[in-house]
Amino acid sequence: MASLAAAEPLASRAASRSPALGPSRSPALGPSRSPALGPSRSGGEWRRNTTDAAQDTQLRSVDLDHVIKLLKSSDSKDLEKEQLKTLKKVVKHFENGLPLKNVAQITKILNLCAEKMNEQEAFTEPLCELILLFGLPFQKKKSSDEINYSVEVSQSIAHLGYLMRVPSSQVKIQICKCIVSFYNMELPQKLLSGYQPTSASYKIQMAEVGGLAETLVLSLALVENQLIEKLWVLKALQHLSISGRNCGLMVKAQAASRLCLYLNGADPSGQLVFRSSDILWNLLENTSKEDVVNQLSTLECVHALKEVFVDLLLHGFRRCDYQLRNDLLVIATLVAENPAVPMVESGFAELLIVLATFTEVRLPNPLVKGFKLTYSYEDFEMKKLLFNVIAILSKDPSAAQLLSENHVMPALLYYVKPNQRPGFHEWSAAQYEELQLHAIAVLASVAPVLVDKYLSCQANTLLLVFLEWCIGQDPFFGQGNSFHGTGGCGNKLAQMRYGLRVLRFVVSLYDDAVNINLCDQGAISQLLDILKYAANKSEEKESTLLLEIQADTLFILSVLCDNDLHRKELFSCEGIAILIPFFKMDPKKLYSGLGHNCLLLSALDCLWSCVIGCYIGEDYFIEKQGIFLLLDLLALKEKNLCNIILGILVEFCDNPKTTLHMSIWRGKRDQTAANLLIQLWRQEELDLGVKRDRYGMIVDIKKPIATSFQRQQKVIPVPANCPTFAIMEISESIRAKIYSLFCKLGFENLPGLSTKDFVTLAIIQRYIDFKVGEVWSEICAEIKEEFRPVTSDERTLKAISKVSEGIGRTVVALQIEVLKIQQEQKIQEEEKTYKEIQATHPQRELINKSWENVMTQTSNYEALKKAKRLQKISIEASGSKANVQNGPVHSTDIKKLRTTYSNFIDDLRVYVRGGTGGMGYPNLGGEGGRGGDVWFVARERTTLKSIREKYPQKRFVAGTGANSSVKALKGEKGKDCEVHVPLGISVLDDDGKQIGELNAAGERFLAARGGLGGSLATNFLPCKGQRRTVHLDLKLIADVGLVGFPNAGKSSLLSKISHAKPEIANYAFTTIQPELGKIMYADYKQISVADLPGLIEGAHANKGMGHKFLKHVERTKQLLLVVDISGFQLSIKTQFRTAFETILLLTKELELYNEELVTKPALLAINKMDLPCAKDNLDELMTQLENPQDFLHLVEEEMIPANTLEFREVIPISTYTGEGIEELKTCIRKSIDEQAERVNEEYRKKKLLLLQTSKEE
């Protein structure tokens, strides 16, 4: 025994494995290999024969068939010697390897030797040597030999297991050594001529095919009382159990139960326990865990596990003993998962429970007398495994009494407290945190089983205090490095997660005592605080953990508030405001896989349980537009959400405000609630297989709403108290809920429905009638199946069936009528369109006739000559007629006088960055230079377009400050970056806030400040410069701004009074960008005039790019409204406006955009006076302008401005003939001069007032 104990030391085992994760193996835990056990091969007659035979210099070929024949011969002394000599030659011949073709013959020789050994011990040594040949590499001539000889080889290797019946320890040990050598194959020093070794795993594969493992397991019964041989068999099984196929064969041979009974066998070395447990682990890993556990479920096996575990627990002192103890505990845990295992009857369950709790409750118990924790890593792992056992036992009703008697609840509640100390006893902070989380997780399983104990220990109070600490500001940094601590690194979220899980499991029992106890301690208010805390954390960074916390909290609130009005009112105070954001969730998150779907379902459940039924809560939820949010979610058409949301809406419809909100809700593309519900109805019928035609009409009037499932069901008579298929279909049917909602909304005057919707609505309206018909149909079928009804009953049943069919025919007729009306409307629309097309034909004829007149005029020389003369007169009239008396004549064609804007840009987004400061000089205290600044400088004759062309990247970066050095301790400032911008620039940040303005030439604005240089304050490190993106918004600065509707003649007017050349044409929106021109007077006075693109109705709301054009009006000193005397009509689709209405509309648009625009001085130019009836229209307009109040009742109220413009002058003009142009220029000059004089006078008065005030002081 001493030699056996020293033969093979126990290999170091891996740490214990958690049963929750299934058995796991350390890579280092392969079968250990030790020196040969048992007597060595030496001495005897075989040795002497070998010595004599060694003198042969060369061996001739061995005829194996001859050897077999020789061994079969009858025994005699001389023949025995010949047989032994021949066997020696065989062994010698194959000492470098055994060819595959000879394996079967060698196996026959083995069998013959085994038979002879029973009578003659001299054959023991040859038999061992022959077995050793199977441990040498097999050799093949060609690659296909491995396949060709696979059957013979697998049978031969399997036969090694059958040789275990030979009553010789030496043979049995040699067989095990041979099997072990399969896994540690070494190439021979010399190969047979023309042969090569087989693949390294060939023997292992053949052993699997031959079923060697199963035979070897069965052979354990032959060595039951022989320790050394048993250890060798276990070692061989260790190697074989690496393969899943071998493990399956071993389980088939009941290996698990056999090995378990060997665990507590006598073995001072401990190898028996080690090897047996190692094989059990392999079986659990590589085969069906259920099959292995079933074999270990007998009372004898559980007793064996318990005894060996207690022995290692009390007498193990080495680390390997601790690890082996934990391995056995994992196996016991897996076994305990099977409810049929007698854990309680064997006393093993009580032992494990006491062992798990004795350190927390500190009560003496004889089961653990003399045992103390060493607080090593192995003991820490054992503690966690024991907690796992408690969780598993809590699922066994028979173990509930044990859990209660052994104080499991107080022991677990010991960990439900704030982590005020860094550790517990000798556990580290990280270990204690892991144990705490594990204990609370186990408490969630135990608490529902021991509710009375839970209440008596005041667990609710402890949990609420613990959760209060979780959301508090106490300094605590979770380790987050354990399975239960996932997501809890640096926070207390993991503790909160498992604390809430305990409450969830407890309240899910719907025990009134537990729920009342919670609510009496203010749990609802505290849970709302937790929900708010988790929601705020999710806004910072979402995680699966936070979503789970929110879902659990919502579930707990749902259970607590269900069917209790007072609690619902408590929840409604602040709970609805917290609940609303969940319904605003981005629909894309539902498919993220993080748990948003579960969270939304929990929120809907909470709404159902905590709000519905409480009128205060319902009203507040509706005020928060909750119905709109529910309909938005319903519009997603998610199958798992629709049923719940429809049920909630049905419950909400008891509140009269709900139907109003549903009626005014509008979804995408102006979808109404009625249209949405009908779409859901159609989708549900499609899913259920209800028959409909392509228009949605009824196909089968006998079963108009029957599903495919209902049609397939056979007639099955059921008791009167059992619902039929038609009734059961209503319980969770979306269609039933949609019908209920339409009963609240009504079936008439529903907006936003198409013809197909009305067809479906006709079915929905008679849903309950169709359901009644289905029920009667089922009743009739059952009666006919069981009985033969009398004539009167049969007549009644037929009448009922006819009524149901009549309803179906009525609905079909109604649907046909709806489709007919739709067809008629379609025909009417087509006729109307055709009439419109016909109406345009005369207009085209008039246009063609006008064109013919133009062609006639242009083809007439006299007409062309007259037109040319009128054009010349018009050009001369547009120029200045005043001359300087007795002075030189100066040309007004001054170079660069005309300002035009091609490809006009009035907004530019640029990036600016101040320069980085220079490095400081720490040794001498030197300070780095400041970084350069970025400046915007206003300059004339600059445009945003030129900036964009010159700097396409639109990036402006100032220079870097100089570094401090020995020569210059104070570094120079970096070079500033100056950007020249046009006058009238407003500088805006990305939020649209104005941060600067440049109106005069030379004005400067600091856009980005340079960074500070490195100094003592900054640890001599430089600071980066300011960086941001800004918008340069240009508003033209002009003296006069032309305002009018499209095609009023603004561009023509600008070309007459200035040298600007804007585009002119006879269609609306000719001017698509602002144009700037200047009026030149005889005294060289210049007045700038801005021609702005035409406005349209709604320009104040940015219709037709109104904001882009109206902003330029803000910088003009005066307004010049240009109005067409004949009125204005943008297109045939818009309403015609008279000249008076045009003035009112322009004033209204200016007022709505900016009320200050109406206070600007204004002139009115009445254009196109060359048209017929212009004089009469002008007289009427002047009358209206003199007394506008008398005519305002004739126009629409929306057109009337609050304040009308007061025109200084009203000048009738014609840009075609030049009439009134000079008078208009004079009026503009006069108005500008008067305004300048008034501004100067106000300035003088202000200065005089300041001077008087300073003298008095």
Side-chain angles (χ1 to χ4, degrees):
M1 286 298 178
S3 61
L4 177 62
E8 182 179 2
L10 278 173
S12 176
R13 296 291 301 221
S16 301
R17 272 74 66 176
S18 171
L21 301 176
S24 60
R25 293 298 300 261
S26 171
L29 275 180
S32 57
R33 298 171 178 83
S34 66
L37 295 176
S40 61
R41 183 171 59 88
S42 63
E45 184 180 354
W46 176 251
R47 172 63 61 190
R48 290 191 297 272
N49 293 339
T50 303
T51 303
D52 296 338
Q55 298 173 1
D56 295 340
T57 56
Q58 185 177 4
L59 289 174
R60 291 174 294 178
S61 299
V62 177
D63 186 355
L64 295 179
D65 291 333
H66 174 72
V67 175
I68 294 171
K69 185 177 181 181
L70 179 63
L71 290 173
K72 288 181 178 180
S73 302
S74 57
D75 296 336
S76 66
K77 194 66 176 177
D78 294 335
L79 185 60
E80 178 183 342
K81 291 181 180 181
E82 182 66 23
Q83 290 172 340
L84 293 174
K85 184 177 180 181
T86 304
L87 290 175
K88 180 200 71 169
K89 290 181 180 181
V90 172
V91 173
K92 186 65 176 178
H93 181 74
F94 296 113
E95 64 181 354
N96 290 322
L98 186 62
L100 291 177
K101 66 179 183 178
N102 301 128
V103 170
Q105 294 171 307
I106 296 295
T107 303
K108 292 180 180 179
I109 295 172
L110 278 174
N111 284 334
L112 293 172
C113 288
E115 292 174 1
K116 288 185 175 294
M117 206 195 82
N118 293 328
E119 300 174 358
Q120 304 173 20
E121 293 184 1
F123 283 91
T124 301
E125 287 293 333
L127 180 58
C128 291
E129 291 291 345
L130 288 170
I131 293 172
L132 184 61
L133 293 180
F134 281 84
L136 299 175
F138 288 169
Q139 299 190 26
K140 59 184 179 180
K141 270 194 174 183
K142 45 189 177 180
S143 299
S144 61
D145 284 353
E146 290 188 5
I147 300 174
N148 295 336
Y149 294 101
S150 59
V151 176
E152 293 88 342
V153 174
S154 61
Q155 291 176 352
S156 298
I157 291 178
H159 196 73
L160 291 175
Y162 294 108
L163 289 177
M164 292 293 291
R165 71 183 186 278
V166 176
S168 170
S169 297
Q170 186 178 353
V171 173
K172 292 174 182 176
I173 292 172
Q174 189 61 50
I175 292 171
C176 295
K177 287 181 180 180
C178 179
I179 295 170
V180 171
S181 69
F182 292 174
Y183 296 86
N184 190 21
M185 188 62 63
E186 295 180 1
L187 292 177
Q189 297 179 355
K190 182 180 178 181
L191 293 174
L192 297 176
S193 178
Y195 287 85
Q196 57 182 348
T198 57
S199 59
S201 60
Y202 182 67
K203 288 185 181 180
I204 299 173
Q205 294 172 3
M206 293 299 101
E208 293 177 1
V209 173
L212 176 62
E214 182 179 3
T215 310
L216 211 58
V217 170
L218 296 174
S219 70
L220 281 171
L222 302 174
V223 295
E224 188 170 352
N225 298 320
Q226 303 167 13
L227 180 59
I228 297 176
E229 290 83 344
K230 187 191 300 183
L231 290 175
W232 271 108
V233 173
L234 291 175
K235 184 174 182 179
L237 287 173
Q238 263 185 295
H239 287 81
L240 291 171
S241 63
I242 296 173
S243 162
R245 187 169 182 178
N246 285 335
C247 287
L249 294 170
M250 293 167 67
V251 171
K252 185 179 178 183
Q254 301 292 313
S257 58
R258 292 171 184 268
L259 292 169
C260 189
L261 296 176
Y262 293 149
L263 286 174
N264 57 349
D267 177 22
S269 67
Q271 292 186 51
L272 188 61
V273 176
F274 167 71
R275 296 195 186 282
S276 300
S277 62
D278 194 41
I279 297 169
L280 284 175
W281 264 107
N282 288 334
L283 295 177
L284 288 167
E285 286 180 342
N286 299 325
T287 60
S288 171
K289 186 173 70 173
E290 289 74 16
D291 293 342
V292 177
V293 170
N294 287 335
Q295 291 184 21
L296 297 175
S297 299
T298 62
L299 185 61
E300 293 79 7
C301 289
V302 176
H303 271 298
L305 279 173
K306 175 187 174 184
E307 290 175 6
V308 71
F309 175 76
V310 171
D311 182 65
L312 288 170
L313 183 72
L314 299 177
H315 304 111
F317 58 90
R318 297 173 298 177
R319 185 179 180 186
C320 59
D321 294 333
Y322 298 154
Q323 292 173 340
L324 188 56
R325 172 199 66 191
N326 290 351
D327 288 341
L328 291 173
L329 185 55
V330 173
I331 295 173
T333 306
L334 293 172
V335 172
E337 290 179 351
N338 186 348
V341 176
M343 292 290 291
V344 177
E345 294 82 350
S346 64
F348 201 5
E350 184 178 6
L351 171 66
L352 296 176
I353 292 171
V354 171
L355 193 60
T357 59
F358 82 101
T359 55
E360 287 79 15
V361 296
R362 298 182 181 181
L363 295 175
N365 195 301
L367 292 175
V368 290
K369 184 178 180 180
F371 174 72
K372 291 184 180 179
L373 286 176
T374 61
Y375 299 99
S376 61
Y377 178 75
E378 287 74 20
D379 281 354
F380 170 69
E381 290 295 320
M382 183 185 72
K383 189 74 174 178
K384 293 194 296 180
L385 289 170
L386 291 170
F387 280 159
N388 275 345
V389 172
I390 292 177
I392 292 169
L393 291 175
S394 65
K395 301 173 184 177
D396 186 0
S398 61
Q401 186 67 24
L402 282 177
L403 295 172
S404 178
E405 292 174 353
N406 290 283
H407 311 288
V408 170
M409 184 62 66
L412 295 175
L413 288 173
Y414 181 85
Y415 293 92
V416 184
K417 60 183 178 181
N419 294 7
Q420 298 174 349
R421 291 184 294 167
F424 171 75
H425 292 298
E426 301 297 331
W427 303 124
S428 66
Q431 287 177 330
Y432 176 68
E433 181 190 348
E434 189 170 353
L435 286 177
Q436 181 190 48
L437 294 173
H438 204 149
I440 299 174
V442 173
L443 181 61
S445 301
V446 175
V449 179
L450 306 177
V451 177
D452 295 337
K453 201 76 172 178
Y454 176 88
L455 290 172
S456 64
C457 292
Q458 298 182 346
N460 280 335
T461 305
L462 293 174
L463 283 167
L464 291 175
V465 172
F466 184 67
L467 291 172
E468 185 69 27
W469 170 77
C470 290
I471 63 173
Q473 300 298 323
D474 297 345
F476 172 76
F477 300 98
Q479 306 294 321
N481 55 1
S482 65
F483 172 77
H484 293 91
T486 304
C489 184
N491 54 60
K492 295 175 273 192
L493 294 179
Q495 284 80 1
M496 184 187 301
R497 172 194 191 184
Y498 286 101
L500 287 169
R501 184 171 292 182
V502 176
L503 286 179
R504 178 182 179 127
F505 277 69
V506 172
V507 299
S508 62
L509 298 172
Y510 292 91
D511 187 288
D512 290 338
V514 174
N515 295 346
I516 292 171
N517 182 262
L518 272 172
C519 293
D520 290 346
Q521 299 183 61
I524 293 177
S525 176
Q526 187 172 339
L527 288 169
L528 288 173
D529 291 340
I530 293 171
L531 191 60
K532 191 186 302 181
Y533 173 84
N536 293 336
K537 286 285 186 182
S538 291
E539 291 179 1
E540 299 173 7
K541 183 180 179 181
E542 277 192 338
S543 66
T544 307
L545 180 60
L546 284 168
L547 295 175
E548 184 181 336
I549 287 172
Q550 294 175 81
D552 285 347
T553 308
L554 289 168
F555 175 81
I556 298 167
L557 287 167
S558 301
V559 177
L560 292 179
C561 297
D562 194 22
N563 298 323
D564 191 295
L565 182 59
H566 175 64
R567 295 175 192 172
K568 289 183 179 183
E569 290 175 350
L570 286 177
F571 175 87
S572 300
C573 294
E574 56 178 325
I576 293 176
I578 302 172
L579 204 59
I580 285 290
F582 294 119
F583 304 130
K584 296 180 180 179
M585 185 186 299
D586 185 358
K588 295 179 181 178
K589 292 183 177 180
L590 296 176
Y591 312 104
S592 65
L594 292 177
H596 292 90
N597 203 3
C598 179
L599 177 59
L600 183 56
L601 290 172
S602 299
L604 290 170
D605 183 44
C606 186
L607 175 64
W608 193 313
S609 301
C610 301
V611 177
I612 292 175
C614 174
Y615 295 120
I616 298 173
E618 287 181 0
D619 289 345
Y620 186 51
F621 181 76
I622 294 172
E623 282 179 20
K624 289 287 185 179
Q625 299 184 347
I627 301 299
F628 292 164
L629 296 175
L630 291 176
L631 289 170
D632 289 339
L633 289 172
L634 190 63
L636 298 177
K637 299 179 182 177
E638 286 290 328
K639 191 72 175 177
N640 59 338
L641 295 178
C642 288
N643 211 336
I644 300 172
I645 296 173
L646 287 171
I648 292 173
L649 289 173
V650 169
E651 295 293 333
F652 261 110
C653 279
D654 291 337
N655 191 314
K657 297 179 182 178
T658 302
T659 53
L660 176 62
H661 279 246
M662 290 183 67
S663 300
I664 63 177
W665 174 83
R666 292 296 181 271
K668 291 182 179 179
R669 299 179 181 177
D670 210 27
Q671 185 182 32
T672 62
N675 174 256
L676 173 60
L677 293 174
I678 291 173
Q679 286 185 8
L680 291 173
W681 177 284
R682 284 201 291 263
Q683 183 60 46
E684 179 69 4
E685 288 196 331
L686 183 65
D687 295 340
L688 295 175
V690 181
K691 292 182 179 180
R692 297 282 181 263
D693 65 3
R694 62 193 183 101
Y695 299 108
M697 293 178 58
I698 292 174
V699 175
D700 184 2
I701 60 173
K702 292 184 178 180
K703 295 182 178 181
I705 60 172
T707 65
S708 59
F709 176 77
Q710 287 177 269
R711 289 195 297 270
Q712 293 169 4
Q713 295 303 312
K714 297 180 180 179
V715 179
I716 303 175
V718 294
N721 59 347
C722 292
T724 63
F725 289 115
I727 299 299
M728 287 191 294
E729 196 268 335
I730 294 178
S731 59
E732 290 299 326
S733 172
I734 287 179
R735 294 189 294 175
K737 294 180 177 66
I738 292 174
Y739 171 75
S740 300
L741 288 173
F742 270 112
C743 289
K744 300 290 184 179
L745 289 173
F747 294 93
E748 304 292 337
N749 302 322
L750 295 173
L753 299 185
S754 63
T755 302
K756 191 173 182 179
D757 292 340
F758 281 112
V759 170
T760 307
L761 187 62
I763 300 174
I764 299 174
Q765 191 170 3
R766 305 306 294 266
Y767 172 74
I768 197 66
D769 295 328
F770 291 145
K771 268 297 167 188
V772 171
E774 281 186 2
V775 174
W776 275 112
S777 177
E778 290 177 345
I779 292 173
C780 292
E782 287 185 26
I783 291 174
K784 291 179 181 179
E785 182 74 17
E786 293 288 318
F787 313 102
R788 179 178 293 176
V790 297
T791 306
S792 58
D793 290 343
E794 188 172 3
R795 193 182 306 117
T796 304
L797 292 174
K798 286 183 179 180
I800 293 172
S801 300
K802 286 182 179 180
V803 169
S804 300
E805 292 179 15
I807 295 172
R809 290 191 181 92
T810 303
V811 173
V812 170
L814 179 60
Q815 290 175 328
I816 293 172
E817 183 67 23
V818 169
L819 291 173
K820 185 177 179 182
I821 293 172
Q822 186 239 359
Q823 186 66 23
E824 292 175 354
Q825 290 177 349
K826 187 176 181 181
I827 293 172
Q828 290 175 0
E829 289 176 0
E830 290 176 354
E831 290 176 351
K832 184 179 179 182
T833 304
Y834 179 70
K835 288 179 180 179
E836 290 177 355
I837 294 172
Q838 283 184 325
T840 59
H841 185 67
Q843 294 180 3
R844 290 185 178 275
E845 290 181 352
L846 291 173
I847 292 171
N848 292 335
K849 187 175 181 180
S850 175
W851 175 249
E852 290 175 1
N853 294 335
V854 172
M855 291 295 295
T856 303
Q857 292 176 1
T858 54
S859 301
N860 191 336
Y861 175 74
E862 294 297 329
L864 285 173
K865 190 174 180 181
K866 182 179 180 181
K868 185 70 174 176
R869 185 169 62 255
L870 290 174
Q871 185 181 14
K872 186 175 181 182
I873 293 170
S874 176
I875 294 172
E876 290 176 355
S878 66
S880 176
K881 296 182 179 179
N883 295 318
V884 180
Q885 298 295 327
N886 303 324
V889 178
H890 298 278
S891 172
T892 59
D893 190 14
I894 301 173
K895 187 178 181 181
K896 297 183 180 180
L897 177 64
R898 179 172 62 87
T899 304
T900 61
Y901 289 81
S902 177
N903 297 328
F904 181 77
I905 299 175
D906 58 0
D907 183 85
L908 191 65
R909 186 172 182 264
V910 297
Y911 172 82
V912 293
R913 191 184 76 192
T916 305
M919 288 288 295
Y921 200 96
N923 294 341
L924 300 177
E927 184 177 344
R930 186 188 184 95
D933 304 324
V934 180
W935 294 86
F936 291 145
V937 183
R939 191 172 73 172
E940 294 181 344
R941 307 188 190 282
T942 301
T943 64
L944 293 180
K945 179 189 174 187
S946 64
I947 296 175
R948 189 181 69 176
E949 291 175 348
K950 188 175 181 181
Y951 306 100
Q953 301 295 330
K954 295 180 287 186
R955 291 172 58 89
F956 301 97
V957 181
T960 304
N963 295 334
S964 175
S965 62
V966 177
K967 295 181 179 179
L969 291 178
K970 175 65 176 177
E972 292 183 359
K973 182 183 178 183
K975 185 178 179 181
D976 290 345
C977 175
E978 292 188 355
V979 185
H980 294 128
V981 298
L983 277 62
I985 283 292
S986 294
V987 185
L988 310 175
D989 61 13
D990 261 343
D991 296 329
K993 181 181 179 183
Q994 182 172 320
I995 56 177
E997 193 173 29
L998 301 170
N999 293 324
E1003 287 186 355
R1004 298 165 62 86
F1005 172 74
L1006 180 59
R1009 190 180 300 277
L1012 296 173
S1015 62
L1016 180 62
T1018 63
N1019 200 19
F1020 298 98
L1021 297 174
C1023 298
K1024 293 184 178 180
Q1026 183 184 8
R1027 62 182 70 189
R1028 57 180 169 180
T1029 302
V1030 297
H1031 291 262
L1032 302 178
D1033 188 38
L1034 174 64
K1035 296 180 181 178
L1036 292 178
I1037 299 177
D1039 297 316
V1040 180
L1042 300 182
V1043 179
F1045 283 127
N1047 216 22
K1050 300 186 296 301
S1051 299
S1052 300
L1053 178 60
L1054 182 64
S1055 69
K1056 292 292 184 182
I1057 63 179
S1058 72
H1059 292 275
K1061 303 296 182 186
E1063 184 178 353
I1064 301 171
N1066 63 344
Y1067 56 85
F1069 296 111
T1070 307
T1071 304
I1072 58 175
Q1073 57 193 22
E1075 295 281 351
L1076 193 64
K1078 292 193 177 181
I1079 305 176
M1080 290 293 300
Y1081 292 90
D1083 58 350
Y1084 301 104
K1085 170 74 173 180
Q1086 298 182 13
I1087 295 178
S1088 58
V1089 181
D1091 175 22
L1092 307 178
L1095 303 177
I1096 62 173
E1097 292 182 48
H1100 69 280
N1102 205 25
K1103 190 174 181 181
M1105 299 183 71
H1107 289 180
K1108 189 172 180 66
F1109 301 145
L1110 281 170
K1111 70 177 184 178
H1112 296 292
V1113 184
E1114 293 181 290
R1115 295 285 183 90
T1116 59
K1117 297 178 182 178
Q1118 296 189 4
L1119 304 179
L1120 175 57
L1121 269 66
V1122 181
V1123 177
D1124 188 344
I1125 188 61
S1126 62
F1128 168 71
Q1129 186 177 17
L1130 184 62
S1131 67
I1132 60 174
K1133 294 183 179 180
T1134 59
Q1135 190 174 351
F1136 173 81
R1137 303 296 186 188
T1138 64
F1140 179 67
E1141 291 174 340
T1142 301
I1143 295 170
L1144 292 176
L1145 278 172
L1146 287 172
T1147 308
K1148 184 70 173 179
E1149 293 297 333
L1150 294 172
E1151 180 187 68
L1152 290 174
Y1153 177 74
N1154 189 345
E1155 293 180 355
E1156 295 180 1
L1157 294 179
V1158 186
T1159 62
K1160 289 180 180 287
L1163 301 174
L1164 176 63
I1166 310 298
N1167 193 17
K1168 301 186 181 181
M1169 290 300 298
D1170 56 295
L1171 297 175
C1173 302
K1175 299 280 185 170
D1176 296 336
N1177 292 339
L1178 179 63
D1179 294 340
E1180 181 182 355
L1181 177 62
M1182 295 302 293
T1183 304
Q1184 292 171 334
L1185 291 176
E1186 288 174 2
N1187 300 295
Q1189 300 297 330
D1190 297 340
F1191 300 92
L1192 293 180
H1193 68 280
L1194 300 176
V1195 298
E1196 299 172 11
E1197 186 176 354
E1198 293 81 10
M1199 296 169 52
I1200 303 173
N1203 300 302
T1204 57
L1205 281 171
E1206 295 182 3
F1207 300 110
R1208 295 187 175 185
E1209 297 287 346
V1210 179
I1211 308 99
I1213 64 171
S1214 172
T1215 56
Y1216 180 74
T1217 62
E1219 176 187 352
I1221 296 297
E1222 288 300 321
E1223 182 185 356
L1224 176 62
K1225 292 167 66 175
T1226 303
C1227 291
I1228 292 172
R1229 171 70 179 270
K1230 179 182 177 182
S1231 180
I1232 291 293
D1233 290 343
E1234 288 176 356
Q1235 184 180 8
E1237 183 62 28
R1238 187 165 57 255
V1239 172
N1240 291 335
E1241 184 65 24
E1242 290 175 0
Y1243 179 79
R1244 285 195 295 270
K1245 288 181 180 179
K1246 185 178 180 181
K1247 285 291 185 183
L1248 182 60
L1249 181 62
L1250 290 174
L1251 184 61
Q1252 291 175 352
T1253 305
S1254 61
K1255 284 182 178 180
E1256 290 174 359
E1257 291 176 353

